[in-house]
Amino acid sequence: MIGSVAFTSPLLLLTLFALPILWWLLRAVPPAPIRRRFPGIALLIGLKDEDSQSDKTPWWLLLLRILAVAAAIVGFAGPVLNPQKERAGDGPLLIVMDASWASARDWPARIERARALLEEAGREGRPVALVQLTDLAPDGDIPFQSANAWIARLDNLSPQPFAPDMAAARGWLDGASFETFWFSDGLEHAGRDELLAVLQRAGPVTAFEGGRELLALAPPRFEDGMITVSGLRMGGLGDREATVQAFGLDPAGIERELARGLLSFPSGAEGAELQLDLPPELRNRINRFQIAGERSAGAVTLTDDALQRRQVGLLAGAADREGQELLSPLHYLRQALAPTADLLEVGLTDMLLASPDVIILADVATLSPEEDAELQAWVERGGMLVRFAGPRLAGSDLARAEAHPLMPVRLREGGRTVGGAMSWGEPKALRPFDETSPFYGLPIPEDVLVSAQVLAQPDPELAERSIAALADDTPLVTRARLGQGQVVLFHVTANAEWSTLPLSGLFVQMLERLAISTRPVSPGAADLEGITWVPELVLDGYGQRRDAGTLPGVSGADLAMAPLSAMLLPGLYAGSERRVARNVIEAGATLSPANWPGDVPVEGLRAVEAENLAPYFLAGALVLLLIDSLAALWLSGRLVGVARGAAVLLAGLLVQPVEAQDLSDADIAALLATSEITLAYVVTGDEQLDETSRAGLWGLGRTLTSRTSVEPAAPAGVDLETDELVFYPLIYWPITPDQPTPSDAAYARLNAYLRGGGMILFDTRDADIGAFGAGTPNGRRLREIARPLDIPPLEPVPDDHVLTRSFYLLQDFPGRHLGRDVWVEAAPADAEQVEGMPFRNLNDGVTPVVIGGNDWAAAWAQTPSGQPMFPIGRGFAGERQREIALRFGVNLVMHVLSGNYKSDQVHVPALLERLGQ
């Protein structure tokens, strides 16, 4: 081995020592000739021989030959760059992989390194076992098998979104004898040292770690009106910036990036923070943050109700008394909700216009009929109304004789009010919450006592609607559904006049369970106990969101305290009234690198690949020999004839066809348009409208490519005054009120285009304000433009027109608007429907024009990333309308390209089947 180069046949290099002998033989002078005197030689004096021959080989030619021979010798010796030293070992081999989320960032490199080690073990005939510490098999023997068996399974391995289970692996691996290759994720995990000791007792251990720095995100916090996102780093030395993206659903229900910012890590820093100032509407839509370009579950943090602060409206029956804040009906509500909700304190009418998530009425008994009706409608649409009792409610007639929609139960006359006939001497404590109550599992402090309340009228529904009660079973909190919303009544005041409940932490927890407020910190076991939390979505090791499928629910204590595992994956968990996110990185966590003892060698994941240099040396020897041949011909004077032939060959190779620069721009455009199917649009001079037309045809082309065999090229804009039209099967022409009238030459080209089988789609884009034929500015301009055109008689698209079935079966042709009036060439007067046929026989020609006003280009238009450019309708109905518009575009293009072939009788059985006839 010489440096980083080794030889497979090093003995062949000994022949290099024979090169000096070869040099001497080639340089040897031939024996001196015998000298004879010949008088006639005088006649040759002064003559020159055109063919001369050197008496000895030139030194440079000799050196060239020696180098060629040396290159051939080295090539046949089998030179190898960066040869890999085979690892010594003949016993069992155990490959241990942490396979946690931190391994995901360089998982392909880990798999390739493991593959190389397995191939090496296979050549040595060693039995191998591969163990993922995040996916341990049930207790049993270590699964030693052939290396080839494990190589076949490598591509099925993947990292998991939780830490390895070192403790379980200790008992599983103890007591055997083997060599260990440990693929570490680079993080320090609890129990690593103990597991390492077990493996070292079994045999030598070699560790493998990646060199990439590790980035992660902690759960976001909402502080002082700002979202704070904390980033963690391990393994980085210099300054580093990382882009954090916030994703969520837009009003149309499509997930997109809502915000982004930069995390700036100073040199040597292990953490950084990013603050985002977002409006409540945008903040409440965010469902996750992630670091751009990082593929691991640690680089993603899901958001839950802790970030989505609710807007809560507060309204009291009496104004605050100056200087007596503690007696204010809203004081304790403000203290409980201000840190976690956006409070709105205005009149009820203005409050309903703001559409808050929750409205709290503190001792409000009487509402005007208009306010009562508006509040009831708001609750029925999904709002939550929370009412607190008080002297005003106790003294009113509300919900006494008959039930009221804005009260969950009827109230008893008089009630338990301070000083009333139903008051009692000893304050009452709360009874433990039932399992069906949203407050189930909350501990009840002993100092929470009730001294007065309003009583519920005993009704058959009372037990069902009671969600909290006193020790004597008197309802304390009742709830009832109203439409899609709910009404909750606390039978005590919102201040401390009737009970000590507002003075306790239980008050905040009860509001939390009712989803009135949200907490910006990680909830504890006490906050989550008593509820089975069902996973809605989970993260895999790469940070991709997956449907939870059939994963079982988990208890509140486990969700808060248990470590992540295969049975408790990071994700979003839903309770009865709220959702909680469990992320890989918890608040306050740090990333600590793994420390290996000195007797454990640590290698990287990338092994330098060996490269065979023999082909390069042999090719070099061949080139040198070729040069030697040319040099020998030159020295002998025989290169002239060879050079002449080479010159002729070279001249032939240099002959070029006509250069492309001779083609005009129009010729190039024609070649491009005729080489592929190209859809066109009329350039109107309105940049925004022209861009919409281009984006619409581009989006339609993408749809055609993905759904049909038609693969259009990029759409082309045509100038009616200068461009040739015959190359385009379909031209989209949007109409504007100020569009110039084409010249006579342009009209001549347009008429020739229509007569030659082309189609123009006229779009007035005004179906939202008038039907076709109405006196809209665009409609009047279309009549003026179309008057010189050779357009046949038109009719609204009949139900049996081929446009309704050329690819999709359609009845309507919407665009961004829903206008039904779409006009095409009228059918021949003699076109009759044959008995038994679902449509008339119209298998000749293509309608030259299609006229409508549904703004199809806006419905088809897509951004370069494939997202719709313009909203259509609302929610699912709008997206369904966009889909039908795209289907109409597909049918239109298929009709242009294939004509009325769907009118042929051969298609009747298939169409009848699809039509259900």
Side-chain angles (χ1 to χ4, degrees):
M1 184 169 178
I2 304 174
S4 60
V5 178
F7 296 89
T8 58
S9 303
L11 293 180
L12 283 178
L13 297 178
L14 295 177
T15 57
L16 292 175
F17 293 106
L19 291 180
I21 301 175
L22 180 61
W23 177 281
W24 180 79
L25 290 175
L26 293 176
R27 291 288 293 176
V29 180
I34 300 175
R35 300 176 68 89
R36 293 285 189 268
R37 291 183 180 275
F38 180 61
I41 198 67
L43 298 175
L44 302 178
I45 296 175
L47 298 178
K48 293 182 178 180
D49 191 355
E50 294 182 359
D51 297 329
S52 60
Q53 184 173 2
S54 176
D55 61 342
K56 60 180 65 176
T57 305
W59 68 269
W60 55 269
L61 184 58
L62 182 61
L63 178 61
L64 188 66
R65 293 171 178 175
I66 293 297
L67 290 177
V69 175
I73 293 174
V74 174
F76 286 118
V80 178
L81 180 64
N82 300 318
Q84 298 300 305
K85 183 179 179 181
E86 295 287 336
R87 299 175 184 271
D90 55 1
L93 173 63
L94 175 66
I95 297 179
V96 176
M97 307 184 79
D98 283 350
S100 72
W101 62 270
S103 303
R105 68 191 192 277
D106 47 19
W107 188 253
R110 294 173 183 271
I111 293 298
E112 291 307 313
R113 192 74 170 99
R115 192 188 310 276
L117 295 174
L118 287 171
E119 291 174 350
E120 181 180 318
R123 290 191 294 269
E124 297 173 353
R126 303 178 67 180
V128 182
L130 193 151
V131 174
Q132 289 183 279
L133 298 182
T134 52
D135 188 18
L136 293 174
D139 294 340
D141 296 334
I142 301 176
F144 285 106
Q145 299 178 16
S146 67
N148 289 335
W150 285 108
I151 290 175
R153 304 178 196 171
L154 277 180
D155 293 333
N156 297 326
L157 303 181
S158 61
Q160 300 299 320
F162 46 85
D165 191 348
M166 303 290 179
R170 277 203 311 273
W172 199 67
L173 299 174
D174 200 5
S177 177
F178 44 78
E179 182 181 3
T180 302
F181 293 158
W182 191 339
F183 283 79
S184 169
D185 60 10
L187 291 176
E188 183 65 35
H189 297 289
R192 180 184 292 277
D193 293 339
E194 292 78 2
L195 178 58
L196 179 60
V198 171
L199 295 176
Q200 286 184 310
R201 287 196 298 269
V205 177
T206 302
F208 296 84
E209 284 189 354
R212 284 188 58 189
E213 67 178 352
L214 181 64
L215 298 178
L217 285 180
R221 311 185 306 275
F222 188 81
E223 300 173 340
D224 300 327
M226 305 279 285
I227 298 176
T228 302
V229 182
S230 299
L232 305 175
R233 177 173 73 159
M234 187 194 75
L237 299 178
D239 296 340
R240 170 69 190 274
E241 287 188 343
T243 300
V244 177
Q245 300 170 296
F247 289 91
L249 301 180
D250 65 7
I254 301 174
E255 185 173 81
R256 61 179 72 246
E257 181 181 323
L258 302 180
R260 66 165 50 201
L262 287 179
L263 275 174
S264 298
F265 294 90
S267 179
E270 297 179 352
E273 287 190 346
L274 165 67
Q275 288 190 327
L276 297 173
D277 185 9
L278 301 177
E281 170 66 19
L282 196 60
R283 183 183 67 230
N284 291 340
R285 292 184 179 276
I286 296 176
N287 56 38
R288 75 183 188 280
F289 292 90
Q290 69 182 46
I291 300 177
E294 293 292 322
R295 296 182 68 239
S296 77
V300 177
T301 181
L302 301 174
T303 64
D304 53 19
D305 295 343
L307 189 62
Q308 298 174 356
R309 290 164 57 94
R310 293 193 166 215
Q311 188 177 45
V312 179
L314 299 180
L315 184 65
D320 293 347
R321 285 171 277 186
E322 185 177 356
Q324 300 181 12
E325 292 184 357
L326 297 181
L327 299 179
S328 168
L330 302 179
H331 172 72
Y332 294 99
L333 287 170
R334 294 190 189 104
Q335 296 297 315
L337 299 175
T340 58
D342 297 323
L343 302 183
L344 181 65
E345 296 189 43
V346 295
L348 184 57
T349 301
D350 294 335
M351 189 180 297
L352 291 172
L353 290 176
S355 187
D357 298 291
V358 181
I359 293 179
I360 299 179
L361 302 182
D363 195 20
V364 176
T366 303
L367 299 173
S368 68
E370 293 80 6
E371 290 177 333
D372 192 284
E374 292 176 358
L375 183 58
Q376 181 176 339
W378 174 82
V379 175
E380 290 176 345
R381 291 195 302 268
M384 173 182 281
L385 174 64
V386 179
R387 308 189 72 152
F388 283 85
R392 291 173 178 268
L393 186 62
S396 72
D397 295 331
L398 182 65
R400 304 290 179 173
E402 59 183 14
H404 192 280
L406 296 181
M407 293 289 288
V409 295
R410 290 194 303 127
L411 299 181
R412 186 181 298 183
E413 293 288 344
R416 286 179 171 177
T417 60
V418 178
M422 297 298 293
S423 63
W424 61 86
E426 291 293 331
K428 300 296 182 180
L430 273 66
R431 186 186 70 186
F433 300 113
D434 296 334
E435 292 185 3
T436 57
S437 170
F439 310 133
Y440 177 71
L442 293 179
I444 301 176
E446 296 180 358
D447 58 351
V448 175
L449 300 173
V450 177
S451 58
Q453 69 168 146
V454 293
L455 288 175
Q457 183 72 30
D459 283 329
E461 300 89 359
L462 181 59
E464 178 185 349
R465 297 182 178 184
S466 177
I467 57 177
L470 300 180
D472 62 356
D473 292 337
T474 304
L476 178 66
V477 183
T478 53
R479 179 175 65 175
R481 294 284 178 180
L482 179 60
Q484 298 181 10
Q486 54 184 317
V487 180
V488 179
L489 172 64
F490 282 75
H491 292 238
V492 294
T493 58
N495 57 19
E497 289 185 7
W498 287 12
S499 73
T500 59
L501 177 62
L503 303 176
S504 69
L506 178 63
F507 186 62
V508 179
Q509 291 176 319
M510 293 175 73
L511 295 178
E512 167 68 16
R513 287 291 181 92
L514 288 174
I516 297 176
S517 64
T518 55
R519 294 187 174 185
V521 296
S522 299
D527 301 317
L528 305 180
E529 282 182 349
I531 299 177
T532 298
W533 297 86
V534 180
E536 290 186 346
L537 60 88
V538 295
L539 296 179
D540 62 14
Y542 297 106
Q544 299 295 316
R545 296 180 301 163
R546 307 294 184 193
D547 184 75
T550 58
L551 287 176
V554 297
S555 66
D558 288 342
L559 182 61
M561 305 299 295
L564 295 174
S565 64
M567 300 304 296
L568 180 60
L569 294 172
L572 197 61
Y573 292 79
S576 57
E577 301 290 347
R578 61 174 290 190
R579 298 186 303 170
V580 173
R582 182 69 190 271
N583 289 298
V584 171
I585 304 298
E586 299 179 351
T590 59
L591 302 180
S592 301
N595 294 316
W596 299 94
D599 57 345
V600 176
V602 180
E603 299 184 14
L605 296 179
R606 295 190 61 184
V608 181
E609 296 184 0
E611 184 175 5
N612 184 13
L613 301 180
Y616 301 104
F617 279 95
L618 295 177
L622 184 61
V623 171
L624 292 174
L625 291 176
L626 179 61
I627 297 175
D628 172 73
S629 300
L630 294 175
L633 291 173
W634 177 66
L635 290 175
S636 64
R638 287 176 287 178
L639 189 61
V640 178
V642 176
R644 186 179 297 111
V648 173
L649 178 62
L650 183 60
L653 293 176
L654 292 178
V655 173
Q656 296 182 352
V658 178
E659 296 184 354
Q661 285 80 355
D662 295 336
L663 297 176
S664 65
D665 292 340
D667 293 335
I668 295 175
L671 288 174
L672 294 176
T674 54
S675 61
E676 297 182 87
I677 295 175
T678 304
L679 306 180
Y681 62 93
V682 174
V683 177
T684 63
D686 185 330
E687 293 184 1
Q688 183 175 359
L689 178 58
D690 292 342
E691 174 59 24
T692 300
S693 300
R694 187 205 62 79
L697 294 182
W698 187 81
L700 177 59
R702 287 192 57 175
T703 303
L704 287 163
T705 301
S706 63
R707 303 184 186 184
T708 72
S709 59
V710 179
E711 299 182 1
V718 294
D719 186 340
L720 298 179
E721 302 297 333
T722 59
D723 293 336
E724 183 56 64
L725 307 179
V726 297
F727 309 125
Y728 308 104
L730 172 66
I731 297 177
Y732 175 76
W733 191 339
I735 302 300
T736 60
D738 55 352
Q739 198 167 104
T741 302
S743 64
D744 293 341
Y747 274 120
R749 281 194 295 271
L750 285 168
N751 286 324
Y753 172 77
L754 294 175
R755 298 185 190 108
M759 175 188 287
I760 299 178
L761 174 60
F762 291 99
D763 191 353
T764 58
R765 305 174 298 110
D766 56 2
D768 56 331
I769 59 175
F772 178 77
T776 62
N778 290 2
R780 290 191 294 269
R781 187 59 185 151
L782 173 60
R783 292 193 195 94
E784 296 172 1
I785 291 177
R787 189 172 294 114
L789 292 177
D790 186 10
I791 297 178
L794 302 177
E795 67 176 353
V797 178
D799 293 337
D800 63 346
H801 195 276
V802 75
L803 270 178
T804 64
R805 61 183 184 277
S806 57
F807 193 84
Y808 290 104
L809 295 180
L810 299 178
Q811 297 299 323
D812 297 302
F813 315 102
R816 196 178 184 188
H817 309 311
L818 283 171
R820 180 63 179 88
D821 292 327
V822 178
W823 293 70
V824 296
E825 181 182 3
D830 58 350
E832 298 180 355
Q833 183 171 346
V834 180
E835 184 178 357
M837 290 278 290
F839 43 76
R840 291 171 292 173
N841 186 14
L842 302 172
N843 54 346
D844 283 324
V846 174
T847 175
V849 295
V850 176
I851 303 177
N854 292 341
D855 198 2
W856 288 291
W860 300 335
Q862 297 180 7
T863 65
S865 61
Q867 299 297 325
M869 288 183 62
F870 301 97
I872 297 181
R874 300 184 63 183
F876 176 78
E879 292 308 309
R880 179 62 180 171
Q881 181 177 334
R882 189 190 308 278
E883 171 63 22
I884 298 301
L886 286 170
R887 294 186 179 186
F888 166 65
V890 172
N891 278 19
L892 194 66
V893 174
M894 298 303 289
H895 175 48
V896 171
L897 298 179
S898 59
N900 288 337
Y901 87 106
K902 276 294 181 71
S903 291
D904 292 339
Q905 295 187 15
V906 69
H907 299 285
V908 170
L911 290 171
L912 287 175
E913 181 180 355
R914 293 185 62 189
L915 290 169
Q917 299 181 9

